[in-house]
Amino acid sequence: MLDAVDRLILTELQEDARLSYNELSRRVNLSAPAVADRVRRLQEGGVITGYHAHVDPAAAGLPVTALVRMACFGPGCLLRDASAPDLPEILQLHRVTGDDCCVLLISVASMAHFEQVIDRLAEHGRPSSTMVLSSPHPWRPLRL
């Protein structure tokens, strides 16, 4: 169970994961060793799953972004393909309820590249895509 200090640590780390333990301890009013212990416990408990930089796909040369819904099932389902998460174009893969089995967030360099990805996905079922025109709110930290 998370307490108020854990929540404050998570809030601070979501805003800037590069904070030193000294700075983080100052912000949450604990000693640096106590903060380090709490962060380690949050990591071991699976609450903190990693640290990363947020990258704008378009600025990184991948201006075409789409949400792709997959209608597939059985042994050929995309979710049963262990290599699917290794496709570099797939940024996110979510198993969902309803008529589709999963939803993917994909970023690619061009429409021709997108067509190639769709062709590969079609081996698993029926893809249906929605192009992302803009992302006015692409990510936000969890409010705990």
Side-chain angles (χ1 to χ4, degrees):
M1 184 60 78
L2 299 177
D3 65 15
V5 176
D6 289 336
R7 286 181 174 84
L8 188 53
I9 288 170
L10 291 170
T11 297
E12 292 295 336
L13 287 176
Q14 286 182 99
E15 291 297 324
D16 185 357
R18 299 183 306 163
L19 288 174
S20 68
Y21 286 135
N22 286 334
E23 177 61 21
L24 187 54
S25 68
R26 187 187 67 72
R27 293 183 185 193
V28 301
N29 297 316
L30 282 181
S31 69
V35 166
D37 285 342
R38 282 179 176 258
V39 170
R40 181 187 44 74
R41 185 175 46 81
L42 291 166
Q43 291 169 335
E44 289 173 355
V47 177
I48 295 175
T49 59
Y51 300 88
H52 64 275
H54 291 279
V55 177
D56 180 335
L62 302 171
V64 178
T65 300
L67 296 167
V68 178
R69 296 175 311 284
M70 290 294 300
C72 53
F73 60 92
C77 180
L78 181 67
L79 294 173
R80 296 186 194 282
D81 182 348
S83 67
D86 296 332
L87 294 174
E89 298 88 356
I90 298 176
L91 302 180
Q92 295 179 6
L93 173 59
H94 303 277
R95 184 176 183 186
V96 298
T97 62
D99 294 334
D100 300 317
C101 78
C102 59
V103 176
L104 300 81
L105 177 65
I106 294 176
S107 283
V108 293
S110 66
M111 287 304 290
H113 188 181
F114 180 69
E115 187 175 0
Q116 292 170 357
V117 171
I118 290 296
D119 288 345
R120 268 189 286 165
L121 293 173
E123 296 171 7
H124 297 281
R126 184 176 44 85
S128 176
S129 61
T130 301
M131 303 309 292
V132 175
L133 299 176
S134 67
S135 298
H137 195 76
W139 179 87
R140 73 171 173 200
L142 290 175
R143 304 288 182 216
L144 303 169

